[in-house]
Amino acid sequence: MKSQVPESQHHVSGLLPEYVNRKLDPLITDQVNEHLLHCEACQAELSAWEAIGEATQFATASEPLPSLNILDQVWAKIEVPAQARQISRWPIRHALIHLWLVLNRQVRIIHKSIWIASTLVGLFCCCLALFFSTQSSNRVHDATSLLTLFTAVVAASGVAFMYGSDKDPGFEITLSTPTSIRIVMLCRMALVIGYNFVLPAIASVIIALAHGGGLWEVIQLWLGPMLLLSSISISLTLMAGAAFALAISLIIEALQAIPITLEKGLLVLQLARPDMWQSSPYVIVLAVLLFGFAVFYAPRQPRLSN
Amino acid sequence: MSMHAQPAVDDRQVVGRIAAGDREALAELYQRYQRTLFSYLQQLTPDYGLAEELLQDTLVAVWKSAHRFEGRSSVQTWLIGIARRQAHNTLRQRKLPLIDEAELDGLASTDPEPEDFTLAYVAREELVGAFQQLAPVHREILVLTFLHELSYQETASILDVPVGTVKSRLSNARRMLRALLDAREEMKR
């Protein structure tokens, strides 16, 4: 769109910036030229605009250029929303894949000693179960009590040493990833407790087969204590450290599993009856609450420890 | 001289290729207009990093909206318009100072102003110094007019204001330059 042709008796001030830019159409340009021939005021104003135009170009010529990697960053910005759209199309599938990847990586990160100790104790439990299965039915209680004792202690020890800056060489890297610390914590707990479940479960199968009765009846004797002691252990680890948590867990387990009685002036240690410390709803609910606390509290733990 | 001298028809073909998803076309357009866009954005913010971020956002917006370009304006005008919108949105979101559009844009004078007789004789360095002290709103109008060599109508469409406002902003920018030069002169004395 072109400016209106100026009337000859008027000054052409309003047209001069476009005149400097050569944006006026030829007819108007001719009329401005003609006006400028005899108008000193407009000539001065034209000189002023030309000076301003030169100064503008000169001032901006020294401005720095953008970085060389601008386009790379542009492609990154374009591609991230595309990935996000893909994720939003299959949110559950992507969440499950993400969870599986995190779970898979934690197997390598968790300290090997946890797996070794769990394996050795699990095998020991299986051997004990096999040994007691050849004995009288009264010995089954001893077998299940020992199973409860070892399973709970090993699981509690495992969770106590599975997480934290002093026990995990990759802890700083874990903190720097976008994956939630709570997800990491949840995956590690699932792995350690799950692994500590498998071998005692095999021992329970042996006991159940050897002496009859349901498998669940044997499993429930040690599952509840194992979960509760593990949940106490991880909660205390986050708040007071792994050594303290392990000590407290051992004391609790000892008080439950190895009661001390006084008979005829002598201290007598004995294995507790399994029904004193088993998978009651209260034990399970308490364990779940403590696990929930640990997962909730996990992101705050590094800051407190620092 | 305009900052870029590629034929406009060619520019439109490049935008058409971008609309078809051609990545090299975006790189080509960027090569042609990187100085134009970055220079403009640097008038809106003194923060180099933020100007780069705005440049990236502008190119992302170009990639996404190339299919809506109808060729009613030049590609340069379209690009600067996008850059301006991105800058305003970001500055507003981050509560950073915006170009003051509520400024009183007053009527442009149709008569030469007496002080302009001397403006042409000021040393260029002083004029450049005064330009750099101008408010973004005035630097912006001068850059669009004298660096990018846009017409009043093109500038008005970028700024989304009437042509009369473009003229008055130019007039105000010149007046502010004069005032800054006078202030410098006073300080020397």
Side-chain angles (χ1 to χ4, degrees):
Chain A
M1 184 166 169
K2 305 300 175 198
S3 305
Q4 287 185 339
V5 180
E7 293 177 22
S8 58
Q9 68 269 31
H10 291 163
H11 289 294
V12 292
S13 307
L15 299 172
L16 292 177
E18 283 197 312
Y19 177 82
V20 172
N21 279 349
R22 291 183 285 276
K23 286 288 177 182
L24 294 176
D25 72 27
L27 181 66
I28 300 173
T29 303
D30 289 345
Q31 293 190 13
V32 172
N33 282 333
E34 194 180 326
H35 178 85
L36 286 170
L37 284 174
H38 55 78
C39 180
E40 288 185 2
C42 285
Q43 285 171 16
E45 183 146 340
L46 175 62
S47 301
W49 280 122
E50 284 173 341
I52 291 169
E54 278 180 20
T56 302
Q57 292 185 6
F58 196 81
T60 51
S62 57
E63 285 170 349
L65 286 172
S67 308
L68 294 174
N69 62 344
I70 287 288
L71 270 179
D72 294 336
Q73 290 164 351
V74 169
W75 292 125
K77 283 187 176 183
I78 288 169
E79 281 156 9
V80 166
Q83 288 173 358
R85 273 200 303 277
Q86 204 177 355
I87 288 170
S88 68
R89 203 175 297 159
W90 305 100
I92 295 172
R93 182 169 168 264
H94 275 272
L96 289 175
I97 290 172
H98 180 245
L99 201 61
W100 166 250
L101 288 173
V102 174
L103 199 69
N104 203 17
R105 295 296 184 275
Q106 300 310 310
V107 176
R108 297 177 201 172
I109 296 172
I110 292 172
H111 205 280
K112 284 176 185 153
S113 60
I114 292 175
W115 305 125
I116 293 169
S118 299
T119 308
L120 290 176
V121 172
L123 289 173
F124 178 67
C125 289
C126 288
C127 292
L128 272 181
L130 278 172
F131 173 73
F132 283 121
S133 65
T134 60
Q135 308 293 310
S136 66
S137 61
N138 287 340
R139 304 302 301 274
V140 173
H141 293 304
D142 293 338
T144 51
S145 296
L146 284 171
L147 195 62
T148 305
L149 173 67
F150 285 112
T151 306
V153 168
V154 170
S157 312
V159 294
F161 289 95
M162 73 176 187
Y163 180 86
S165 55
D166 51 338
K167 301 166 283 290
D168 181 359
F171 188 68
E172 280 187 349
I173 298 171
T174 305
L175 289 181
S176 67
T177 62
T179 300
S180 161
I181 289 296
R182 292 185 174 124
I183 297 285
V184 171
M185 168 68 83
L186 206 60
C187 288
R188 289 189 184 188
M189 284 196 306
L191 283 169
V192 172
I193 293 171
Y195 191 72
N196 279 291
F197 174 85
V198 173
L199 286 175
I202 294 170
S204 301
V205 170
I206 295 168
I207 293 171
L209 288 175
H211 296 281
L215 177 62
W216 173 244
E217 285 172 16
V218 182
I219 287 178
Q220 69 163 346
L221 296 175
W222 54 265
L223 183 63
M226 182 188 82
L227 291 176
L228 182 59
L229 209 63
S230 300
S231 64
I232 292 170
S233 176
I234 188 65
S235 300
L236 289 175
T237 297
L238 293 177
M239 291 193 297
F244 177 75
L246 183 60
I248 296 294
S249 301
L250 287 173
I251 291 168
I252 293 170
E253 182 59 21
L255 289 174
Q256 287 295 330
I258 314 174
I260 301 168
T261 57
L262 205 60
E263 280 184 12
K264 297 174 186 173
L266 293 172
L267 284 174
V268 176
L269 300 179
Q270 63 179 47
L271 290 173
R273 302 285 298 175
D275 54 0
M276 290 173 65
W277 175 234
Q278 54 183 268
S279 307
S280 70
Y282 300 111
V283 167
I284 300 292
V285 167
L286 187 57
V288 169
L289 286 175
L290 285 170
F291 278 130
F293 167 77
V295 170
F296 174 77
Y297 191 77
R300 301 175 63 181
Q301 189 255 345
R303 285 201 292 272
L304 289 177
S305 68
N306 288 337
Chain B
M1 275 292 291
S2 175
M3 290 182 79
H4 107 108
Q6 298 291 333
V9 173
D10 195 18
D11 280 349
R12 287 172 188 171
Q13 285 172 350
V14 174
V15 175
R17 281 165 51 209
I18 294 171
D22 183 346
R23 287 181 169 223
E24 284 183 12
L26 185 68
E28 196 177 324
L29 194 73
Y30 173 63
Q31 282 305 317
R32 290 182 188 186
Y33 287 100
Q34 63 165 311
R35 185 177 276 276
T36 301
L37 290 172
F38 199 56
S39 170
Y40 173 71
L41 289 168
Q42 282 178 298
Q43 309 313 315
L44 307 188
T45 172
D47 182 338
Y48 178 85
L50 181 56
E52 279 203 332
E53 199 182 326
L54 295 173
L55 180 61
Q56 292 165 20
D57 292 344
T58 301
L59 292 170
V60 171
V62 166
W63 178 257
K64 289 179 180 171
S65 61
H67 63 282
R68 288 200 291 269
F69 178 69
E70 294 171 348
R72 283 187 288 191
S73 61
S74 71
V75 170
Q76 178 177 246
T77 307
W78 178 65
L79 287 173
I80 296 174
I82 291 174
R84 190 173 200 272
R85 274 196 299 281
Q86 293 298 325
H88 272 237
N89 291 343
T90 302
L91 295 174
R92 191 176 293 116
Q93 280 167 10
R94 298 187 189 179
K95 297 186 167 59
L96 292 170
L98 285 165
I99 288 178
D100 186 9
E101 292 187 342
E103 171 207 40
L104 291 173
D105 277 319
L107 288 173
S109 168
T110 54
D111 293 327
E113 297 182 19
E115 64 265 32
D116 288 334
F117 287 109
T118 56
L119 203 56
Y121 303 107
V122 174
R124 187 204 275 165
E125 288 70 25
E126 288 201 30
L127 209 46
V128 168
F131 170 87
Q132 286 162 341
Q133 282 185 287
L134 281 175
V137 68
H138 293 135
R139 282 206 310 272
E140 179 186 41
I141 196 76
L142 293 179
V143 162
L144 291 174
T145 305
F146 295 112
L147 188 68
H148 304 315
E149 298 182 348
L150 301 179
S151 67
Y152 288 156
Q153 187 58 47
E154 287 171 322
T155 305
S157 70
I158 287 173
L159 302 181
D160 200 18
V161 294
V163 167
T165 303
V166 172
K167 290 181 183 177
S168 65
R169 280 192 192 172
L170 270 169
S171 189
N172 289 341
R174 188 186 61 197
R175 204 170 294 130
M176 287 308 300
L177 271 176
R178 180 70 263 167
L180 286 165
L181 289 167
D182 287 346
R184 284 173 164 230
E185 203 58 39
E186 284 292 318
M187 284 179 71
K188 283 181 188 169
R189 285 176 196 164

